[in-house]
Amino acid sequence: LIIYINWNAMENENNLNYKIHCELILVSDNITSDKVSELMEIEPYRAYNKGESFQSKKSGTKGKRHNSLWAIKTEPIMTEEEDISSHVLYFKTLLENKIEKIKKLKVDPKNEISFWIWIETNAGGAGFEIPETDLKFINDISNRLSVSIVANENI
């Protein structure tokens, strides 16, 4: 898989930077984040449960959660190349003995597991490749691949 996005807003060839991290996010209607943590034996960096009250930090909106969420992520890396291989390797190492557990969660239609690639850049575009072995792994642990590329000249 090759992804390339180009825009001309902030081309600065002398100091191109990419801040990259990846997340694995499980959203569920029927399993709590605590149960996922127990099953996976991993503490999430972000989690909440269906029915919990919340208040938005930005808008102040209040409400109840419509589903549960459990998420783990890699640490952001600053780099001069659009390369996610170290992030995929982190998840391979962390989850190598948990693939079957994830596959059981993945087949439940009330669960959605997303692998999310976040790239923040001051470049005029971004492009990266995902080798077949990494795509297979991402497919084994998720049922959705999402990519967010954010332009930010001050990274």
Side-chain angles (χ1 to χ4, degrees):
L1 174 68
I2 299 173
I3 297 173
Y4 185 75
I5 299 172
N6 186 28
W7 61 87
N8 294 320
M10 295 175 287
E11 194 64 46
N12 178 358
E13 293 183 19
N14 296 325
N15 191 22
L16 299 181
N17 289 303
Y18 301 90
K19 182 178 178 183
I20 302 170
H21 79 273
C22 295
E23 296 183 37
L24 185 67
I25 305 164
L26 180 135
V27 175
S28 180
D29 282 342
N30 66 343
I31 188 169
T32 66
S33 60
D34 294 337
K35 186 68 175 168
V36 176
S37 294
E38 180 183 321
L39 176 70
M40 299 299 292
E41 300 172 4
I42 299 171
E43 285 302 313
Y45 91 96
R46 176 169 64 119
Y48 55 77
N49 291 307
K50 182 176 182 177
E52 287 181 354
S53 297
F54 73 91
Q55 181 172 355
S56 171
K57 293 176 185 174
K58 292 183 180 182
S59 69
T61 303
K62 294 180 181 181
K64 296 255 186 212
R65 302 280 187 195
H66 296 288
N67 51 40
S68 296
L69 180 139
W70 180 91
I72 54 178
K73 72 172 190 167
T74 61
E75 289 298 318
I77 294 175
M78 288 293 293
T79 179
E80 294 179 358
E81 297 181 11
E82 314 98 307
D83 181 13
I84 67 161
S85 61
S86 64
H87 300 279
V88 175
L89 180 60
Y90 170 82
F91 281 113
K92 282 182 177 180
T93 303
L94 180 67
L95 303 173
E96 66 186 340
N97 62 349
K98 300 173 186 342
I99 301 295
E100 292 309 311
K101 292 177 183 180
I102 295 170
K103 285 181 177 180
K104 287 179 183 175
L105 290 169
K106 187 176 133 176
V107 296
D108 184 333
K110 293 187 177 188
N111 297 334
E112 181 176 281
I113 304 175
S114 300
F115 188 86
W116 208 304
I117 301 166
W118 295 88
I119 300 176
E120 194 172 344
T121 181
N122 64 351
F128 60 94
E129 297 179 10
I130 304 175
E132 182 177 357
T133 55
D134 289 351
L135 281 174
K136 181 187 178 317
F137 171 74
I138 291 168
N139 187 57
D140 284 346
I141 65 167
S142 65
N143 42 24
R144 178 182 296 234
L145 172 64
S146 300
V147 179
S148 292
I149 301 176
V150 178
N152 180 353
E153 57 187 301
N154 298 315
I155 63 167

